[in-house]
Amino acid sequence: MLDLKSVFASDGLLSRQIPGFRARAQQLDMAQAIAETIEKNGLLVAEAGTGTGKTFAYLVPALLAGGKVIISTGTKTLQDQLFNRDIPSVRAALNVPVSVALLKGRANYICHYHLERALQDNYLTFVNREEIKYLQKIERYAMHSRDGDKGGLNTVPENAAIWHHVTATRENCLGSECPNYKQCFLMEARKKALAADVVVVNHHLFFADVMLRDEGLTELLPACNTVIFDEAHQLPETASLFFGESISTGQLLDLAQDCKVEAVQTAQDCVVLPDAIAAVDKAAKDLRLTIQEENVRFSLLAVAKNKAFIQALDNLLEKLSELTDILEGQAERSESLENCWRRASDHVDAIKRWRNDTDANTDTGAAGFVRWVEVYSRALQLNATPLSIAEIFNRQLNASPRAWIFTSATLSVKQNFDHYLGEMGLAAAQSASWDSPFNYPEQALLYVPDGLPEPYHKGYTEHVVKSALPVLKASRGRAFFLCTSLRAMQQVYDQLMVDFKAERIEFPLLLQGDGSRSSMLKRFRELENAVLIGSHSFWEGIDVRGEALSLVIIDKLPFAPPDDPVLSARIEKINREGGNAFMEYQLPHAVISLKQGAGRLIRDETDRGVLMICDPRLTTKSYGRKIWQSLPPMKRTRQLKDVEQFFMDENQPTVL
């Protein structure tokens, strides 16, 4: 057994190397549990409260145990932090010769082939001065960059349209047939990953690899001895995405664009090809126009009532099939034309499966997938999502002997892991929970205002803002106002603008979407008295320490909308099988999401703050007790005067 006490002690290896390191009993206990799991090739689901130091708790045993380790994170931000800061620090402290590689999805790496084509192409839609400047910067960066990671080029925005044209997708990558294969940044990153002892990936890439292996294609990640999932609460949603199937009008428009370029360069004598391409382009756009709403989801049964949608989908399938037949006859002319033909053929098959592989009177096909449509501002996507990922993921667990670690600050309901274990197919896993070392009874106050109407009330958001206003005054701004929907977020912002002006309150108001998340957080910290109004983007993965964030307001309990087609199908399945979908599925999901939002408040041993949850169901419903008992052990109140006193006492020393 590894001597972990000497590593985590107050005078141990970590404290000598890492400034500000403090010994925590919870961290040592967690590290020992992980070390035992790695030694036994076991399964461990580990919940660690904020401040436990879970990153070091899994890095130390993983690096000391030897063997191949894959660490998967929920975000690229944490991925970069692990690779650039945390792992080098722990490796130096332990003095172990461990090689480390960072591997991201292919969309993060510049593709030489597509960059060259973008530089030569006159048909691209991005030809404006700003995009041309970005293209020139990318060209220069690609010439001297060692890894081609677009994250290293800060002067081109991450969401710039040009990136789409200079990176490859799984569909349009030519693989070993590419003339630039030997210089490929992605291939080089994969080679380094294969040779490294520790590979840092993200959940999307991990499950993309699982999906490719299931299809019998190449492995993206090396065989390993240990897999560690950080931010593991995100896995069910990510796995559902990758174990399902989708096809969007955006993919079809990309195909049409690529076909258009190839037709000009290598098939000018094929006179029928341009008209066939144009027909697919038009059919894809026509399908999107059959639904007027934006940012909505429909079940298959609901959208099937839209006759214009069904007719447009059939027309798209017909035009796409015609294009596929023409491309098949031209495919031997170039690798890119062959790639276009294979993509078109795959898209035809995907649409047919979505259209036909479904019972006549349900959204769910024989294979247990729910069919639904998601509509964006400019695109429409057909989705098939598995009702359960447990069986599919369980096959990965049993593929070969290795240790699996799942860790997050939010995996349980009152330290009960049944929901997460069942959803992920982890029946054989050990589970453990470590409370945060922070002194929540002294550092935080939970405030549930009295007299608010039920959330379904027409004027609910107006009442929420009215209740929040005196709390914002008491806190002197310094607040996150977290909403469960984009619509509520906008309503809160609009009303606060009016109320602040009427009462001459000068706290800056920041609204999600007015800039990138990182730029908004930078402004929030610098202003020191701002109120940031956000939705799901700010519920997790945000770390604001100190006085800049002293109040978190949550508009209502984050239950997913019951008319969501996937949730609706899963609820129906659980109830049909004799279960209680609300207690077994909806409530645990809401609790885990609420814990994430609440976790933004106290990020350090000296932080103080108020968590205001505006939903009266926390006190009026029988399940409310289970919810607040799942939160950290804060003092609780329903009186505004207690909140005001809490902020008046702010300058008094915190009891640790």
Side-chain angles (χ1 to χ4, degrees), residues 166-223:
V166 299
T167 56
T169 65
R170 183 178 157 215
E171 294 173 341
N172 65 20
C173 175
L174 300 180
S176 59
E177 300 299 320
C178 178
N180 303 94
Y181 184 73
K182 291 184 178 179
Q183 296 84 40
C184 179
F185 288 124
L186 176 61
M187 289 301 113
E188 185 60 29
R190 289 179 177 176
K191 287 177 187 175
K192 290 180 180 178
L194 286 167
D197 300 310
V198 177
V199 186
V200 183
V201 302
N202 57 57
H203 298 339
H204 281 76
L205 180 59
F206 183 90
F207 282 103
D209 180 51
V210 167
M211 181 180 69
L212 292 175
R213 283 207 304 270
D214 277 352
E215 292 179 358
L217 302 177
T218 183
E219 241 180 274
L220 291 179
L221 300 170

Side-chain angles (χ1 to χ4, degrees), residues 302-433:
V303 82
K305 297 174 183 177
N306 182 338
K307 292 183 180 179
F309 172 85
I310 297 301
Q311 290 171 356
L313 182 62
D314 289 342
N315 180 59
L316 173 60
L317 192 54
E318 179 185 338
K319 300 304 180 186
L320 186 59
S321 298
E322 291 172 1
L323 175 61
T324 304
D325 292 340
I326 296 170
L327 288 171
E328 184 176 11
Q330 304 296 316
E332 61 184 17
R333 291 189 170 205
S334 72
E335 290 91 347
S336 293
L337 265 178
E338 182 178 355
N339 175 269
C340 287
W341 165 56
R342 295 189 184 281
R343 287 163 62 189
S345 180
D346 288 344
H347 292 339
V348 167
D349 291 342
I351 294 173
K352 284 182 177 178
R353 281 193 295 273
W354 190 90
R355 179 81 171 85
N356 302 324
D357 185 25
T358 310
D359 296 339
N361 298 313
T362 71
D363 296 321
T364 309
F369 285 73
V370 57
R371 265 67 178 170
W372 55 288
V373 176
E374 187 155 19
V375 185
Y376 307 98
S377 59
R378 296 185 180 180
L380 178 151
Q381 184 164 292
L382 311 178
N383 301 288
T385 303
L387 285 173
S388 171
I389 62 167
E391 184 178 342
I392 306 172
F393 187 65
N394 197 259
R395 290 202 296 269
Q396 313 309 319
L397 299 177
N398 298 322
S400 59
R402 60 169 61 107
W404 296 82
I405 316 293
F406 303 78
T407 185
S408 169
T410 56
L411 294 172
S412 74
V413 177
K414 286 181 61 180
Q415 299 190 347
N416 183 308
F417 293 85
D418 288 351
H419 165 71
Y420 188 80
L421 298 178
E423 193 170 21
M424 291 296 296
L426 303 175
Q430 297 290 315
S431 59
S433 180

Side-chain angles (χ1 to χ4, degrees), residues 127-255:
V127 181
N128 60 55
R129 289 182 180 179
E130 190 174 39
E131 294 293 337
I132 290 172
K133 286 181 182 178
Y134 290 157
L135 180 59
Q136 292 168 344
K137 289 181 179 181
I138 293 170
E139 181 186 17
R140 291 194 294 270
Y141 175 69
M143 291 174 66
H144 64 75
S145 174
R146 296 179 61 184
D147 56 20
D149 185 344
K150 73 177 190 181
L153 185 57
N154 296 325
T155 55
V156 177
E158 188 176 353
N159 61 351
I162 183 63
W163 286 120
H164 182 68
H165 299 281
V166 299
T167 56
T169 65
R170 183 178 157 215
E171 294 173 341
N172 65 20
C173 175
L174 300 180
S176 59
E177 300 299 320
C178 178
N180 303 94
Y181 184 73
K182 291 184 178 179
Q183 296 84 40
C184 179
F185 288 124
L186 176 61
M187 289 301 113
E188 185 60 29
R190 289 179 177 176
K191 287 177 187 175
K192 290 180 180 178
L194 286 167
D197 300 310
V198 177
V199 186
V200 183
V201 302
N202 57 57
H203 298 339
H204 281 76
L205 180 59
F206 183 90
F207 282 103
D209 180 51
V210 167
M211 181 180 69
L212 292 175
R213 283 207 304 270
D214 277 352
E215 292 179 358
L217 302 177
T218 183
E219 241 180 274
L220 291 179
L221 300 170
C224 65
N225 305 92
T226 303
V227 177
I228 299 171
F229 291 110
D230 201 343
E231 298 177 319
H233 62 279
Q234 297 179 5
L235 290 180
E237 184 175 346
T238 307
S240 293
L241 174 69
F242 280 97
F243 292 154
E245 184 177 39
S246 65
I247 174 73
S248 74
T249 56
Q251 288 173 277
L252 297 169
L253 295 176
D254 287 346
L255 171 65

Side-chain angles (χ1 to χ4, degrees), residues 46-104:
E47 182 178 67
T50 306
T52 302
K54 61 183 172 64
T55 304
F56 288 176
Y58 66 68
L59 283 180
V60 169
L63 298 190
L64 288 177
K68 292 266 188 180
V69 180
I70 292 176
I71 301 174
S72 181
T73 74
T75 61
K76 285 185 288 186
T77 301
L78 180 54
Q79 198 180 356
D80 288 334
Q81 177 185 310
L82 278 166
F83 180 74
N84 295 316
R85 190 184 76 186
D86 295 337
I87 295 177
S89 297
V90 173
R91 179 173 58 184
L94 300 177
N95 193 26
V96 289
V98 173
S99 58
V100 187
L102 178 70
L103 186 58
K104 298 180 181 179

Side-chain angles (χ1 to χ4, degrees), residues 271-299:
V271 294
V272 295
L273 186 53
D275 288 343
I277 295 169
V280 168
D281 187 281
K282 183 178 185 302
K285 292 174 180 175
D286 286 346
L287 179 64
R288 169 61 190 90
L289 293 174
T290 61
I291 298 177
Q292 294 183 349
E293 297 92 337
E294 294 182 6
N295 301 313
V296 292
R297 295 178 170 191
F298 295 103
S299 67

